[in-house]
Amino acid sequence: MRYPKSYDVIIVGGGHAGIEASLINARLGMNTLLLTIALDSIGQMSCNPAIGGLAKGHLVKEVDILGGEMARNIDETGLQFKILNRSKGPAVWSSRAQADMTAYRLRMKYTLEHQKNLDIKQEMVDEILVENNEVRGVRTNLGNEYYSKAVVITTGTFMKGKIFIGLNTYSAGRAWEPPSEKLSDSLRKLGLKVSRLKTGTTPRLDARTIDFDALIPQPGDDEPIPFSFRTKELNRPNIPCYLTYTNEKTHEVILKNLDQSPLYSGIVESVGPRYCPSIEDKVVKFFEKKQHQIFLEPQDEKSTEIYADGLHTSMSYEVQLNFLRTIKGLEKVEIMRPGYAIEYDFVDPTQLKQSLETKKIRGLFLAGQINGTSGYEEAASQGIIAGINAAFYLLGKEPFILGRDEAYTGVLIDDLVTKGTKEPYRMFTSRAEYRLILREDNTHLRLAEKSFRAGLLSRDEYEMIMEQRRKIEEVIKRLKTTFIFPTEETNKKLKMLGTEIIKTKTDLAKLLRRTELNYDKLRELHPELEELDKFIKQEVEIDIKYEGYLTMQKQQIEKFKKYENLKIPEDFDYTKVGGLSNEVRGKLMEIKPTSIGQAMRISGVTPAAISILMVYLKKHNDRFKNSA
Amino acid sequence: MQKHDDDIIAAIASGQVEAAIGVIRVSGKGSLSLLEKVFSKKPPYEHRKIYYGFIKDKFGDVIDEVLVNIHKAPKSYTGEDLFEINAHGGLVCMNKILERLFEVGARLAEPGEFTKRAFLNGKLDLSQAEAVAKVISAKTERALKVAERQLQGQFRSTLDDIRDKILFLMAENEVRIDHPEEDLSSITQAERLKMVSEIKENLKKIYRAAKYGNNLFNGMVLTIVGKPNVGKSSLLNLIVGQESAIVTDIPGTTRDIVKESFSIKGIPFSILDTAGIRKTEDVVEKIGVERSLRAIDRADIVLAVFDSSSELSDEDLQIIEKLKKINSEVVAVINKSDLGQKIELSKIPFKHKVQISCKTGMGLKQLEDKLESIALKGFSDRELISLNASQMESLKKAIEMCEQLEQDIDNDIDPALIGVDFLSLTDYLDEVIGRITNEDMLEVMFKNFCIGK
């Protein structure tokens, strides 16, 4: 049937990408439909029961300031909160929280259900409807045709999903849920290049059969910090994880049974993530390591299911049980669900624009694992960008794009559409060149302006953030212009604070740069300084203590922007540029970089090719000339 | 005249030197119909064929008997229609042919313009174009050989070593940040410091090799100072005359900028104010030392001439005082050593001293050895390389950044800040060792460290 109601935007899939895409469209006033294979799995955490982590915490906070839900949801359903890398500098602090995955999922479902402008239906999408390279809607397994002006596909691992446990395989989108067998064929027919990727998960263990007393507890922080800038107070428990290790016996069991592994017996040929190797991979590739860490994480406050982080595996059930029982604390363990590997279809992301719209089909957007990424946070950040851009496409606005110098989300998407990926792509802080500026703590400060202008942030929230920024600048200025003098009394106080005395007139900012001093200690020295809110204090300290490096990073960004601002017109004809090798020309025509900067990041595009391109553009393009 | 990239350009390709056969190269769209107007052999002209005939002036009179070879677009050096006239009439005749070509529509090519066109038409990539430019600009056989060797990538292994070490250190630094929960047995602080110091030393080595390599390419400027009649002019004749001189007279408004170029042991040198030196010596003017000292600020090496057969005069001492204050290298040339030694050598405070007789030629070899060792600082040709000014500047900054890194690693500061250091370091080295991308770093990280849960 042709469904009587038509929509502005249809979202295919109710995972972490689909949720953000649905909510932001509905919140921007679009008439939105979310179609999912299983209503009960909306917001399901398919792998580890945690949100955030290194570089991922940044993504969650970016989603938050852009009007997303992930941060608020974990703030309401976390089981412990922790700032990772606390011992290192603020640029690499990252928030991570264990989630009550059932509570997480249900709160997401309720949030969607109570969202205005959003319909939710349980149907499987088999086909994308397209006319004249423009999306028209979708057709589902029930024969329903839904019409819309834009479609966002977020299928996760469901397209032609195939699960491997030992030498057994079966078709599934996730553990025991049905896969989507037809949709990727529809995408192929539309001319999109579709390939296979692989990922895996760990066995879930029964807490009643684990000897926790023998293990090292890993609680969260005593003073948890929320993910969302909107959350004023966290009222959540602090439930520990437990640390244990594999040993030589574990490794022996695995090595003896490699013929039971679909990875090593040649059944699975697609590429898995290097950063998230299976335990069999770790044992084989790092043969010299005598032990590997295992974190046992609670999945749910009330359930006895335990997630065994560090033990991704697709060995047979028997081998899984045997190696698990060699591990300290797990001697009598019972498996509730085995670990498995899953292979699925993904769309080569170089076929996307920076807006996550496909280059081939107007109005068709892709987000999440379908683009070759891995991780809930990576999915959510693409979901919100694809969602915003679907809405902007309908509203006739310029695409909403974050640069590599603005957000981790910008780095993620630029990497995907520029370089593509050969393995499931995960965010790392090292992928972000300018991470000293793109910190987690300043996420809302750095993105408020852009978010507000795009209509993603309310005026009140925006004013509140601007006020914080003003305050920070004001305090910094005061510290830089307040001087103290080497009087006997001052130097006595300095000695008491455990720091060197001064010999000449010195401003307070200079003193604050000393490792052993902080803002509160300066107040002891100079009581006229006002008391500050914890967050403002932290930002002032970071800005002053790291000033030299921040300046250096700003210079690096200037250099980067110079090339980013050399725009290449969308209709640029590379066949007219002499001197490019066929390989380079082919790549440029495929990726269609929007700037020289992006062109430079395409693998295989040599510096020589870039100079030829620049010479040509300068010669033939006035717009380029003016921007250069 | 407005210059365009689609003009027909022409130039003497064999250099402004008297030689048995000279070559004039002409390139540009329509250049073959231009040839038709001046050449006795009429078309068709085929690609890669050589034609015999005469170049004629506008009255139809023969200028020269020539061979012309044809290269058609896009298979020529520049990617355009191109021909070369091989004439044998010497410079005067060559210039006449050139003028004739201008009459029918060609214009004089700017320096390097043929190569620029080859680059613009995709016949060369930028690095090749640079290397070719280097080869072209090499003034001597020796410089040419060094440039060619660099083209073949002789110092690649040093660069690869630097690159590998930087990548490893970056990956190691990133592991600390992105995988803090992993119990990785990392390398020690001392080992990290050692690697940075090795990177720095290698960069310094390249810097020095390039600094002295550039002396071989760009040449060095000499000047000769000394009191009247001490033998400046004879010394000039001795060193310039010894080699087959490449004489470049740059016409100017004052004779100060007249210089003579020549090479010693394959290193190009030029001498400033040669006219001044000759003239003052010839007429035995009493202009004093002032004029003789005029060019020292612009010289890399100052040859200070003294008379071996007499004691140091007040003028000599005046010159010595002045030279003690300058940065250029000073070589004391003790002339007239055939007339005995009255001079007190210990009173001349310069490190480099050579005794010579301009009259007999004795000591010339020692002077030349001295000049070579100052120019190349003992680097062998195998070690010398050539980098351009911006590459040199980047190298210098990279070396400074290594020092910053040493300090930061030593102070065990935040790895994220060390990451900023590395980013700057790789930015600076982009041109020299090739771009280091995040992907390259991750590759090394996953290979060397067992990470991931």
Side-chain angles (χ1 to χ4, degrees):
Chain A
M1 114 172 143
R2 175 178 176 148
Y3 198 75
K5 182 177 174 186
S6 69
Y7 291 90
D8 292 325
V9 184
I10 294 172
I11 315 295
V12 181
H16 305 281
I19 287 170
E20 301 296 352
S22 301
L23 286 172
I24 201 69
N25 270 288
R27 285 170 182 165
L28 285 169
M30 299 294 112
N31 213 336
T32 310
L33 170 65
L34 167 61
L35 292 168
T36 168
I37 293 180
L39 277 176
D40 293 330
S41 303
I42 283 177
Q44 169 80 310
M45 301 181 134
S46 318
C47 198
N48 61 330
I51 293 289
L54 264 300
K56 290 166 171 269
H58 293 70
L59 292 172
V60 180
K61 296 203 165 191
E62 288 172 5
V63 170
D64 185 51
I65 185 67
L66 299 178
E69 196 60 31
M70 182 172 255
R72 275 177 280 195
N73 209 57
I74 185 64
D75 283 348
E76 297 274 333
T77 59
L79 292 181
Q80 61 150 275
F81 293 78
K82 203 171 192 164
I83 303 285
L84 305 177
N85 264 342
R86 228 349 163 192
S87 62
K88 305 190 181 79
V92 293
W93 292 345
S94 275
S95 305
R96 185 180 187 276
Q98 292 299 138
D100 180 324
M101 53 188 268
T102 312
Y104 186 95
R105 172 169 66 76
L106 289 174
R107 187 190 172 279
M108 272 304 189
K109 183 162 182 268
Y110 300 153
T111 306
L112 290 165
E113 286 169 0
H114 292 90
Q115 175 64 48
K116 205 176 116 194
N117 303 328
L118 180 61
D119 291 350
I120 308 166
K121 295 177 189 299
Q122 178 167 296
E123 277 176 72
M124 191 189 298
V125 171
D126 283 347
E127 197 185 333
I128 305 298
L129 306 174
V130 172
E131 261 171 48
N132 298 327
N133 293 325
E134 208 170 299
V135 89
R136 285 280 169 261
V138 301
R139 182 181 293 120
T140 72
N141 60 332
L142 305 180
N144 288 334
E145 285 184 356
Y146 292 94
Y147 282 82
S148 70
K149 297 175 207 121
V151 170
V152 184
I153 310 181
T154 67
T155 49
T157 58
F158 276 70
M159 291 196 305
K160 290 196 198 291
K162 200 171 171 193
I163 279 179
F164 300 83
I165 302 176
L167 305 180
N168 297 322
T169 67
Y170 58 98
S171 291
R174 164 175 53 213
W176 292 265
E177 295 172 37
S180 158
E181 294 290 3
K182 292 184 181 159
L183 185 56
S184 53
D185 291 335
S186 165
L187 296 176
R188 277 194 190 90
K189 263 186 224 145
L190 293 175
L192 293 174
K193 190 183 153 215
V194 179
S195 315
R196 302 286 279 171
L197 278 178
K198 183 207 84 181
T199 187
T201 189
T202 72
R204 313 305 203 265
L205 312 176
D206 191 335
R208 293 171 298 174
T209 60
I210 297 173
D211 179 11
F212 288 108
D213 293 341
L215 306 179
I216 312 149
Q218 308 271 307
D221 292 342
D222 291 334
E223 284 181 55
I225 295 171
F227 277 85
S228 175
F229 80 94
R230 296 178 177 91
T231 306
K232 297 288 167 254
E233 212 180 326
L234 271 181
N235 276 315
R236 297 297 305 160
N238 185 352
I239 296 175
C241 298
Y242 289 87
L243 176 61
T244 182
Y245 294 92
T246 61
N247 54 50
E248 287 179 50
K249 262 208 169 121
T250 322
H251 300 181
E252 195 189 313
V253 174
I254 291 167
L255 289 171
K256 270 191 180 160
N257 289 287
L258 282 180
D259 58 339
Q260 300 291 305
S261 157
L263 305 181
Y264 285 92
S265 56
I267 299 178
V268 175
E269 284 171 11
S270 52
V271 185
R274 284 172 300 179
Y275 51 83
C276 197
S278 59
I279 184 67
E280 45 269 38
D281 254 358
K282 284 197 254 189
V283 170
V284 172
K285 289 192 183 139
F286 294 90
F287 188 70
E288 70 286 356
K289 278 198 87 173
K290 301 278 179 263
Q291 59 174 36
H292 297 279
Q293 289 181 329
I294 311 294
F295 287 94
L296 300 176
E297 305 176 358
Q299 292 211 134
D300 178 320
E301 200 174 355
K302 299 186 186 88
S303 150
T304 65
E305 257 188 285
I306 294 290
Y307 179 90
D309 206 347
L311 283 178
H312 294 259
T313 181
S314 54
M315 305 287 279
S316 71
Y317 196 99
E318 186 187 354
V319 179
Q320 290 190 27
L321 187 66
N322 287 344
F323 78 65
L324 279 168
R325 289 187 171 175
T326 62
I327 296 170
K328 191 174 172 193
L330 304 183
E331 292 84 355
K332 291 176 184 157
V333 80
E334 290 294 342
I335 294 176
M336 293 177 76
R337 313 182 203 212
Y340 62 83
I342 182 164
E343 205 183 56
Y344 53 95
D345 278 351
F346 81 107
V347 177
D348 179 351
T350 59
Q351 302 169 98
L352 303 173
K353 301 178 186 174
Q354 300 264 3
S355 62
L356 295 179
E357 185 184 17
T358 57
K359 289 170 192 164
K360 282 217 167 77
I361 315 289
R362 283 193 303 280
L364 182 63
F365 295 80
L366 309 182
Q369 253 168 319
I370 190 173
N371 292 341
T373 60
S374 137
Y376 314 142
E377 303 80 3
E378 286 83 348
S381 62
Q382 290 171 72
I384 198 144
I385 296 293
I388 293 167
N389 282 317
F392 280 20
Y393 166 75
L394 296 182
L395 297 168
K397 287 194 191 178
E398 283 291 302
F400 183 81
I401 290 157
L402 296 169
R404 297 185 80 88
D405 55 329
E406 291 179 302
Y408 272 61
T409 304
V411 174
L412 166 75
I413 293 175
D414 182 64
D415 276 351
L416 288 176
V417 305
T418 308
K419 298 177 198 155
T421 186
K422 291 192 188 72
E423 64 178 335
Y425 178 103
R426 198 208 121 149
M427 200 64 215
F428 295 109
T429 72
S430 50
R431 297 196 193 266
E433 293 84 352
Y434 313 115
R435 62 183 166 206
L436 214 55
I437 307 254
L438 306 187
R439 303 189 307 272
E440 205 192 271
D441 59 86
N442 71 356
T443 306
H444 65 283
L445 298 178
R446 69 182 143 90
L447 289 176
E449 184 88 41
K450 198 149 179 169
S451 179
F452 176 65
R453 279 169 194 265
L456 307 169
L457 192 65
S458 74
R459 178 165 285 279
D460 286 352
E461 288 167 333
Y462 175 66
E463 296 286 337
M464 188 269 285
I465 296 169
M466 286 302 111
E467 183 49 40
Q468 285 185 333
R469 270 177 64 164
R470 268 194 296 277
K471 187 82 211 170
I472 294 163
E473 278 159 26
E474 181 196 308
V475 178
I476 290 174
K477 198 175 160 199
R478 186 167 323 132
L479 291 174
K480 283 187 172 174
T481 51
T482 306
F483 293 91
I484 54 167
F485 297 86
T487 62
E488 208 172 302
E489 200 199 333
T490 300
N491 275 335
K492 204 171 137 197
K493 276 189 191 164
L494 282 170
K495 267 189 202 159
M496 267 164 56
L497 291 170
T499 187
E500 283 284 299
I501 59 164
I502 56 171
K503 289 183 184 120
T504 51
K505 168 180 151 183
T506 306
D507 64 82
L508 291 177
K510 203 170 167 192
L511 279 181
L512 186 54
R513 254 171 233 136
R514 297 183 176 179
T515 330
E516 60 278 13
L517 293 182
N518 57 27
Y519 185 81
D520 285 337
K521 287 192 176 163
L522 284 191
R523 285 189 66 217
E524 288 177 37
L525 191 71
H526 193 78
E528 292 87 340
L529 288 178
E530 63 185 311
E531 196 177 341
L532 288 180
D533 164 78
K534 203 168 148 192
F535 174 71
I536 303 288
K537 200 156 59 190
Q538 169 185 300
E539 294 307 296
V540 166
E541 285 174 358
I542 292 172
D543 273 353
I544 289 184
K545 281 184 186 289
Y546 293 95
E547 194 176 18
Y549 281 92
L550 288 168
T551 308
M552 197 151 121
Q553 187 108 89
K554 279 174 194 152
Q555 285 163 358
Q556 290 166 347
I557 288 181
E558 283 313 306
K559 193 174 167 189
F560 158 82
K561 272 190 166 163
K562 206 177 95 193
Y563 293 107
E564 240 29 43
N565 290 336
L566 296 177
K567 298 290 178 204
I568 304 175
E570 202 177 329
D571 54 359
F572 184 71
D573 185 359
Y574 289 96
T575 57
K576 286 195 178 145
V577 188
L580 296 173
S581 72
N582 285 335
E583 190 202 342
V584 167
R585 185 178 291 121
K587 279 195 169 154
L588 289 166
M589 286 167 77
E590 188 192 327
I591 309 285
K592 293 196 180 101
T594 55
S595 67
I596 288 288
Q598 193 190 353
M600 288 165 83
R601 291 191 291 277
I602 300 171
S603 66
V605 174
T606 57
I610 291 294
S611 29
I612 291 171
L613 200 56
M614 282 173 71
V615 169
Y616 188 91
L617 279 161
K618 272 196 182 134
K619 214 165 113 185
H620 294 278
N621 194 302
D622 288 337
R623 264 183 294 171
F624 190 87
K625 231 177 262 172
N626 294 337
S627 58
Chain B
M1 186 177 77
Q2 188 77 27
K3 283 172 183 156
H4 293 287
D5 286 340
D6 42 14
D7 295 340
I8 297 172
I9 51 172
I12 298 174
S14 46
Q16 291 278 357
V17 192
E18 289 291 345
I21 290 192
V23 179
I24 291 174
R25 183 179 289 161
V26 184
S27 174
K29 203 175 166 191
S31 56
L32 294 183
S33 42
L34 187 142
L35 174 64
E36 199 184 322
K37 293 177 190 163
V38 300
F39 193 33
S40 60
K41 167 81 180 71
K42 298 302 168 196
Y45 305 123
E46 280 177 53
H47 179 59
R48 284 202 153 190
K49 285 268 170 68
I50 297 177
Y51 298 94
Y52 168 80
F54 302 93
I55 300 291
K56 295 183 174 179
D57 67 17
K58 58 184 163 187
F59 306 110
D61 293 336
V62 171
I63 300 174
D64 201 3
E65 177 190 31
V66 298
L67 290 172
V68 175
N69 33 354
I70 308 292
H71 304 268
K72 288 193 173 177
K75 289 183 174 173
S76 71
Y77 174 71
T78 56
E80 305 168 329
D81 282 339
L82 178 150
F83 63 90
E84 285 174 339
I85 302 172
N86 299 267
H88 46 34
L91 274 181
V92 177
C93 192
M94 300 276 281
N95 280 323
K96 270 193 179 161
I97 296 175
L98 207 51
E99 273 165 31
R100 175 71 187 126
L101 289 165
F102 298 159
E103 277 172 17
V104 293
R107 70 163 166 83
L108 185 63
E110 291 170 54
E113 197 171 2
F114 290 101
T115 304
K116 180 183 164 199
R117 289 194 176 189
F119 168 65
L120 285 175
N121 291 315
K123 304 296 287 187
L124 296 170
D125 70 25
L126 186 63
S127 58
Q128 280 173 318
E130 261 188 19
V132 171
K134 216 47 155 192
V135 170
I136 292 169
S137 72
K139 293 188 184 76
T140 68
E141 198 69 19
R142 184 172 178 181
L144 187 68
K145 281 204 176 115
V146 168
E148 283 171 346
R149 189 176 300 126
Q150 186 179 338
L151 257 178
Q152 295 151 14
Q154 286 277 318
F155 74 125
R156 197 67 246 172
S157 69
T158 314
L159 295 184
D160 286 346
D161 181 63
I162 292 172
R163 194 183 157 89
D164 289 348
K165 285 203 170 92
I166 291 177
L167 273 171
F168 182 85
L169 284 170
M170 284 175 83
E172 195 269 348
N173 188 53
E174 295 304 326
V175 169
R176 290 158 186 270
I177 297 170
D178 269 343
H179 306 277
E181 70 277 23
E182 304 286 333
D183 51 346
L184 300 164
S185 40
S186 234
I187 57 168
T188 64
Q189 189 187 33
E191 284 168 321
R192 294 164 78 200
L193 281 171
K194 188 166 163 264
M195 282 176 84
V196 176
S197 136
E198 283 164 0
I199 293 168
K200 189 179 77 180
E201 287 314 312
N202 266 331
L203 290 175
K204 280 187 175 167
K205 210 166 96 190
I206 294 176
Y207 187 83
R208 282 196 301 269
K211 187 175 157 197
Y212 297 108
N214 282 346
N215 287 342
L216 180 57
F217 284 95
N218 305 337
M220 301 193 83
V221 177
L222 282 179
T223 188
I224 302 176
V225 301
K227 63 187 177 190
N229 275 333
V230 73
K232 297 196 290 290
S233 171
S234 325
L235 178 64
L236 177 65
N237 287 336
L238 185 68
I239 47 185
V240 176
Q242 201 69 22
E243 294 267 326
S244 68
I246 305 162
V247 181
T248 320
D249 273 317
I250 301 172
T253 48
T254 74
R255 40 178 201 183
D256 282 33
I257 59 167
V258 173
K259 62 173 186 178
E260 288 182 30
S261 299
F262 56 98
S263 68
I264 292 172
K265 296 190 159 201
I267 305 162
F269 285 93
S270 54
I271 291 197
L272 289 178
D273 192 25
T274 49
I277 294 168
R278 288 207 162 102
K279 181 150 189 186
T280 48
E281 296 273 317
D282 288 348
V283 297
V284 201
E285 269 181 294
K286 287 281 175 197
I287 296 176
V289 295
E290 271 313 304
R291 123 140 254 151
S292 146
L293 287 171
R294 206 182 275 182
I296 60 171
D297 295 333
R298 282 180 284 156
D300 300 309
I301 303 175
V302 177
L303 300 180
V305 190
F306 300 98
D307 184 346
S308 175
S309 62
S310 62
E311 287 176 19
L312 286 174
S313 67
D314 286 350
E315 281 171 312
D316 286 329
L317 293 172
Q318 210 183 323
I319 289 173
I320 287 171
E321 276 317 301
K322 178 93 184 183
L323 293 181
K324 268 155 96 176
K325 290 176 197 141
I326 64 169
N327 290 323
S328 324
E329 299 269 5
V330 177
V331 180
V333 180
I334 320 298
N335 190 21
K336 306 185 189 176
S337 57
D338 53 317
L339 300 179
Q341 187 182 333
K342 279 193 183 163
I343 195 167
E344 277 184 79
L345 286 180
S346 61
K347 283 194 179 158
I348 300 174
F350 305 116
K351 193 172 75 186
H352 307 295
K353 279 177 218 167
V354 180
Q355 286 179 287
I356 196 167
S357 164
C358 290
K359 205 166 161 191
T360 67
M362 186 202 81
L364 176 62
K365 194 183 168 305
Q366 283 87 329
L367 178 61
E368 288 179 347
D369 288 345
K370 188 59 90 185
L371 290 174
E372 182 190 30
S373 79
I374 290 171
L376 306 183
K377 273 290 180 299
F379 277 91
S380 74
D381 287 9
R382 192 156 279 282
E383 295 163 320
L384 290 172
I385 53 171
S386 165
L387 298 176
N388 65 33
S390 95
Q391 289 170 327
M392 291 290 279
E393 188 56 31
S394 300
L395 255 184
K396 215 163 134 187
K397 286 189 176 147
I399 292 165
E400 285 165 18
M401 194 43 68
C402 285
E403 276 154 15
Q404 167 105 45
L405 259 172
E406 286 179 316
Q407 207 183 326
D408 287 350
I409 292 175
D410 197 35
N411 291 332
D412 202 16
I413 70 162
D414 184 357
L417 301 182
I418 291 181
V420 180
D421 291 343
F422 274 120
L423 188 61
S424 284
L425 179 64
T426 54
D427 259 6
Y428 291 136
L429 290 179
D430 240 19
E431 278 189 76
V432 187
I433 63 169
R435 180 167 284 265
I436 288 185
T437 65
N438 290 344
E439 277 307 310
D440 297 332
M441 192 278 299
L442 288 174
E443 192 75 39
V444 173
M445 181 157 110
F446 292 126
K447 212 174 95 197
N448 289 287
F449 303 96
C450 176
I451 47 178
K453 291 187 288 188

